[in-house]
Structure formats: C-alpha cells, structure tokens
Amino acid sequence: MIVFEEVVKRYPGGYTALAGVSFEIPAGELAVLSGHSGAGKSTLLKLIAAIERPTSGTVRISGQDVSGLRRRAIPYLRRNLGLVLQESRLLYDRNVFDNVMLPLVITGHPPRDAAKRVAAALDRVGLAGREREMPAGLSGGEQQRVAIARAIVNRPSILIADEPTAHLDTAYAAEIATLFKSFNAAGVTVLVSTHDDRLFAKHQPRRIVLGKGLLIEAAA
Ligand code: ADP
Ligand code: ADP
C-alpha cells in the first residue's frame, strides 16, 4: 500500500535528506517511523503526500506512482490520505467545528452530512460536543486531537502523522498513540513518526528506522 523504491531526496542546495530508501508498508498496518532529528522523517512523509517530489526512485501509494504525479491529480491523492504534519496548524481564529470541517469544505461535501461527519470525527477522538470551543482554550493534547479529527473527517484509508506527540506529556502522548492504534484497528493504514518509539511499543508496530537519510531497520 505504501511502497518506496530506492528513493533519493536531494534538496535544492544539495543536501541529501534521503539517500536511497526502500521499504513497504502493507495495507492495514500500523507503522512507526523513528530516527533522530534531521534523519529525514518529515521528508519521507512529505513524499507520501506529494508535498515534496523525489529526486529519483519511486513512491507508490495504493498502487499509484505518486513520484511524478501531475499537479491536478494531487487533490485526488490527498483525499485518501489523512495528514497530521508539523505545518498543519489549527486555525486559531475559527472554532473546533470550522477547523475539522475544513477538508469537507474543500472537497465540496454536502453541508448537512458534513456536520454529522464532524461530530462523528470529534467523537472518535474523544472531543464529542466541543464544536463551539476555540482552539486556544484547549490543552495541547486536545488541540492535537482536533488536528487528528480534521485528518480523519474524510475517512481516509491512510493516516500519516509527523511527531504528533512531540510537545505532549508522557500520559497525553500515550493516549494519542492509543488513538492511532484504534484507527488502525478500524482498518486504516497508519504511519506515525516519533523520536520515542517506546510510545508505540505495546501496539507492536512495523518499525522503520532512519539514520542520516538511510534506512537502518525495516521490520514487522
Ligand atoms: P526529521 O523529520 O527526521 O527531523 P527532515 O526530513 O525534516 O528530518 O530533515 C532532513 C534533513 O533535510 C535535515 O538536515 C534538514 O535540514 C533538511 N531539509 C529539510 N527540509 C529542507 C528544505 N526544504 N530545504 C533544504 N533542506 C531541507
Ligand atoms: P459511523 O459510520 O456510524 O460513523 P463507523 O463504525 O463507520 O460508524 O465509524 C466509527 C467512527 O470512526 C466514526 O465516528 C467516524 O467518525 C470515525 N472515522 C472517521 N474516519 C474514519 C476512518 N478513516 N477510519 C475509521 N474510522 C473513521
């Protein structure tokens, strides 16, 4: 379902963030991507979402080669991907409802059904009934849950998250890990990056470990 073949990513300026990375994550898996800061984790996740393009090699998502995807095909790829990336901040001048609703507005979802979807997504992350609250009034862990609700509101088959627990206390981080496990149990393919892979240890994820742009380990 997620396949990397000899993927190289060199940024303008010449820095090689990924130096020939190959791995496969079968559909329905929970996979954890780890490695120290600067190892290339964010780059790898951005290649999946076609936010960055590989310099060489192939990235395949659900059988589709996204490496050279044309610009207007990208929205169709993203519709099937839930993304919780470092730069996917919440909109602080809109309430929780509007934040989670955003992807449905973009895809032109019928409004009445969309409101139900938002309610269901919030319920799924443990924030039922919190639609009218503003993000700034929520704890860090709750804000991260809103971001996750926004990522799953389109019911994607793949969920990608870049260090979703980075700024959270251990207890909150463990809850977020369990939440990702619950999506996986519902059939979603989940790939989460973290620099603390102990967080997911009890869920026995497939492990992908990067070091300086190279794959160190890829094991189930
Ligand atoms: P990680 O997520 O593991 O911390 P990143 O993928 O963010 O790693 O970064 C890998 C390397 O690529 C880092 O050395 C970083 O400075 C570099 N890098 C990331 N994004 C860019 C960019 N847009 N332009 C140039 N270099 C970048
Ligand atoms: P329903 O269709 O009645 O909402 P489901 O059992 O199909 O119930 O889904 C359970 C919950 O999972 C729903 O509240 C829904 O918001 C949430 N959900 C949203 N997107 C996804 C997804 N991609 N995978 C799994 N669950 C999702």
Side-chain angles (χ1 to χ4, degrees), residues 3 12 19 30 37 45 47 52 88-89 99 103-104 107 130 148 150 161 165 171 180 185 189 215:
V3 181
L30 169 68
S37 176
L45 299 179
L47 290 169
E52 293 287 352
S88 20
R89 306 295 305 274
N99 269 278
L104 299 175
T107 54
R130 309 285 291 271
I148 296 167
R150 183 177 59 184
T165 62
F180 282 110
T189 306
L215 196 65

Side-chain angles (χ1 to χ4, degrees), residues 15-18 35-43 163 210-214:
Y15 189 85
T16 302
L18 296 176
H36 57 77
S37 176
K41 301 183 296 298
S42 300
T43 299
E163 304 226 21
L210 284 176
K212 289 198 176 138
L214 283 169

Side-chain angles (χ1 to χ4, degrees), residues 58 106 200 210:
T58 307
I106 292 168
F200 288 88
L210 284 176

Side-chain angles (χ1 to χ4, degrees), residues 97 100-101 104-105 109-123 131-132 153:
F97 179 86
V100 177
M101 178 80 163
L104 299 175
V105 172
H109 218 79
R112 185 190 290 223
D113 179 59
K116 272 197 223 159
R117 285 269 197 123
V118 170
L122 286 173
D123 184 43
E131 281 90 339
R132 300 293 149 213
V153 76

Side-chain angles (χ1 to χ4, degrees), residues 23-94:
F23 64 88
E24 270 186 51
I25 303 173
E29 295 262 334
L30 169 68
V32 168
L33 173 62
S34 54
H36 57 77
S37 176
K41 301 183 296 298
S42 300
T43 299
L44 188 154
L45 299 179
K46 286 178 184 170
L47 290 169
I48 292 173
I51 293 167
E52 293 287 352
R53 303 303 184 109
T55 307
S56 64
T58 307
V59 177
R60 240 187 280 283
I61 308 298
S62 308
Q64 186 182 29
D65 182 356
V66 302
S67 325
L69 212 59
R70 276 181 298 170
R71 192 170 285 272
R72 64 196 157 83
I74 290 175
Y76 295 96
L77 166 73
R78 301 237 177 103
R79 207 164 286 191
N80 202 25
L81 289 178
L83 299 173
V84 185
L85 301 183
Q86 301 289 338
E87 33 292 269
S88 20
R89 306 295 305 274
L90 298 176
L91 303 173
Y92 285 92
D93 59 343
R94 316 253 183 111

